[in-house]
Amino acid sequence: MNKVIGLIAGEGDMPIYIARNACKRGYDVVVLALKGNAHYADYKPYCKEFKAIRLGQMGAGLDFLKENAVTKVVMAGRVQHTSIFTNLMPDKRGIAFLASLKNMQAKHILSRLIEECAKEGIQFQNSALFLEEFFPKKGVLSKRQPTEEEQKTIDYGFHIAKQMAALDIGLTCVVSQQVVIAVEGMEGTDRCIERAGELYKKSAEKDSCVAVVKVARPNQDDRYDLPVIGQTTLKHVHKARFGILAFEAEKTLVMDLEKVIEMANKLNICLVAI
């Protein structure tokens, strides 16, 4: 009998890559997709079963996973945090779950979701399962090395981002010359970078000493909301005319790592794992 893995899929390439790699390793992949975020066409080559539900349809989701003998599940892909205010359509089980929440922080909601699924015999796995090759170790990955002044900016950004992450506000900040330009809230990393670009129009040329820094939370629970960057992140950094993208080494998932390094070199962006 084949091994079975459940996949709760949001948007983006990350859950697709997990499904593909799980399939290659002999797993039957059962995909529970969040409607509007993940689509059957992307998973058809890799999944045995597929079902799309609206955010909050907890009973329907659990029934689907149990019907397909899923006892281990991975949750991956972006879901806009603002969806909890704009896109909820809970069923009876979902209503009871929402009523039990102490607050609407993403960390609290996901922790409680994991607890509820455990009661049904479903255990959450590392959200980057089967993607081990996309976690770079410490070092400069790009050809362009940071100057002494740029390294100070990176270090400052790391310090600020870690404090923001500890407060569960966001994982990304944009800094320059010991000044915070923007921090990530519910809008996500890409929009944070866009907003920083709008705020920081110092010149028509790219400012090499502006750093976008992304980190993991202290005591990050690897079952949900891992820090992730990719080619789209780099495109936003370039569009904002910033010169540095730094991220926490061994804890940040870099999708398509080789392509990201190639793009950083092409765009002359300093890419650093810190």
Side-chain angles (χ1 to χ4, degrees), residues 4 6 65 68-73 121-125:
V4 179
L65 293 174
N68 286 282
V70 172
T71 58
K72 295 182 179 180
V73 69
I122 299 172
Q123 301 293 326
F124 276 64
Q125 308 299 298

Side-chain angles (χ1 to χ4, degrees), residues 253-273:
L253 180 68
V254 184
M255 296 301 301
D256 291 316
L257 177 59
E258 291 184 4
K259 292 181 180 178
V260 168
I261 294 171
E262 182 181 343
M263 179 179 286
N265 290 332
K266 182 179 179 180
L267 300 176
N268 195 33
I269 291 172
C270 182
L271 184 67
V272 190

Side-chain angles (χ1 to χ4, degrees), residues 202-250:
K202 182 175 180 180
S203 71
E205 298 300 321
K206 178 168 65 180
D207 192 317
S208 63
C209 210
V210 178
V212 177
V213 184
K214 185 155 192 169
V215 300
R217 290 182 179 83
N219 304 314
Q220 175 79 48
D221 190 327
D222 61 16
R223 295 173 296 179
Y224 62 85
D225 203 21
L226 284 174
V228 181
I229 65 170
Q231 294 177 80
T232 301
T233 319
L234 268 179
K235 289 176 183 176
H236 282 283
V237 172
H238 177 65
K239 185 177 180 181
R241 300 182 183 276
F242 301 153
I244 304 165
L245 176 59
F247 57 90
E248 189 164 0
E250 299 185 45

Side-chain angles (χ1 to χ4, degrees), residues 55 80-88 104-106 109 186:
L55 192 65
Q80 295 296 330
H81 289 185
T82 52
S83 295
I84 61 177
F85 302 117
T86 61
N87 198 34
L88 271 177
M104 296 299 282
Q105 290 183 353
I109 294 171
M186 276 192 168

Side-chain angles (χ1 to χ4, degrees), residues 16 19 38 60 73 75-76 84 103-104 112 115 125 134 143 148 154 162 166 171-172 207 222 231 246 251 268 271:
I16 299 172
V73 69
M75 179 167 52
I84 61 177
N103 60 61
M104 296 299 282
R112 286 284 294 111
E115 290 174 6
Q125 308 299 298
F134 292 146
K143 291 179 181 177
E148 183 177 343
I154 292 168
K162 272 298 189 182
L171 305 182
T172 305
D207 192 317
D222 61 16
Q231 294 177 80
K251 295 184 179 181
N268 195 33
L271 184 67

